[in-house]
Amino acid sequence: MRHVLVLGGTTEGRALAAELVPAGHRVTSSLAGRVARPRLPAGEVRIGGFGGPAGLADWLRAEDVDAVVDATHPFAAGISRNAALAAADTDVPLLVLRRPGFTRVEGDRWLPVPSLAAAADLVPRHGERVFLTTGRQSVAAFAHLDGLHFVARSVDPPEPPLPPSFEVLLDRGPFTVEGEEALLRRHRIDVVVTKDSGGAATAAKLTAARELRLPVIIVERPPVPEGVPVVPDVPGALRWLEQLR
Ligand code: NAP
């Protein structure tokens, strides 16, 4: 039996824990504690930061961790960097489990940008009514934009500062294309802003935007820490763990 630390907060993190626990591994899933009522994975769960890379390294040693799978969200770059540093420091094997980004298809009107700040710069050129699905911690990047109306969707209420004209829809995926199209029409949306998070649960908004011929400003992913192996799915992570023996 091995002790696997899954850095989670994602569908993939929960799916990996659900495979490893019945296979007899000790699994600890770690969540940041950002969501008030998170969906809890199988196995042990710890919630809250470790206190930087040094704190995480201490935790890996104290808990006798044999392997770490960083299954955090593609935009959670801070914890991924910390995991790379702590793994190097402790010699604990580290894998990044990162689902592929969204796939562009014929008819998409995507406008890729490198950051939330760049998305905020671009948005006024594409209309007045904006659908924002970048997550509740990202709304602040748009707070200075008056003259636009923002409809944001997030699991928990966004953190201030907020744009002057703003409404929030509290909801959690998966979403359907029909539902997303109805939402875009109901709120008379001109432009969608999203992150290239990937994943089936939230892809429907892109199909809906394509069908309505709406532009989508899409924030590109931060890079994975250098030198760390990456797999796109849970079977890949299971194979990596298997070959560690
Ligand atoms: P972040 O900016 O990369 O991390 C900031 C700090 O939060 C880290 O330094 C760490 O604190 C703590 N932290 C983050 N993830 C953690 C985890 N899984 N377990 C323990 N501590 C964690 O992270 P973020 O973008 O705020 O994301 C936080 C969590 O939400 C992640 O688990 C991620 O998978 C999930 N999530 C993020 C997004 C997104 O768009 N960013 C979307 C959906 C879900 P210490 O330095 O004290 O250890």
Side-chain angles (χ1 to χ4, degrees), residues 7 34 50-57 60 68-90 92 94-98 221-230:
L7 299 169
R34 305 269 195 276
F50 293 93
L56 177 52
L60 297 179
V68 180
V69 180
D70 170 8
T72 57
H73 190 271
F75 282 82
I79 186 72
S80 292
R81 193 171 47 245
N82 291 355
L85 292 168
D89 185 26
T90 55
V92 174
L94 168 68
L95 176 74
V96 171
L97 163 51
R98 186 134 311 170
R221 296 171 163 210
V224 170
E226 217 169 296
V228 181
V230 187

Side-chain angles (χ1 to χ4, degrees), residues 6-10 30-35 46-53 56 71-80 82 99 134-135 137-138 195 197:
V6 178
L7 299 169
T10 56
S30 176
L31 308 177
R34 305 269 195 276
V35 177
R46 65 163 300 290
I47 297 181
F50 293 93
L56 177 52
T72 57
H73 190 271
F75 282 82
I79 186 72
S80 292
N82 291 355
R99 60 187 177 222
T134 46
Q137 297 178 84
S138 309
K195 290 174 175 168
S197 304

Side-chain angles (χ1 to χ4, degrees), residues 14-138:
R14 280 194 303 280
L16 179 61
E19 293 283 338
L20 292 175
V21 170
H25 295 290
R26 179 179 170 204
V27 178
T28 304
S29 293
S30 176
L31 308 177
R34 305 269 195 276
V35 177
R37 282 178 295 123
R39 290 176 177 154
L40 291 178
E44 297 168 39
V45 178
R46 65 163 300 290
I47 297 181
F50 293 93
L56 177 52
D58 289 346
W59 200 92
L60 297 179
R61 287 192 196 97
E63 299 292 328
D64 248 333
V65 171
D66 298 299
V68 180
V69 180
D70 170 8
T72 57
H73 190 271
F75 282 82
I79 186 72
S80 292
R81 193 171 47 245
N82 291 355
L85 292 168
D89 185 26
T90 55
D91 277 334
V92 174
L94 168 68
L95 176 74
V96 171
L97 163 51
R98 186 134 311 170
R99 60 187 177 222
F102 293 126
T103 309
R104 189 177 195 144
V105 302
E106 177 84 36
D108 278 328
R109 294 179 61 200
W110 285 8
L111 303 160
V113 289
S115 64
L116 284 166
D121 286 346
L122 192 58
V123 86
R125 285 194 239 156
H126 291 279
E128 287 171 10
R129 299 184 61 86
V130 187
F131 184 42
L132 206 53
T133 66
T134 46
R136 72 189 178 99
Q137 297 178 84
S138 309

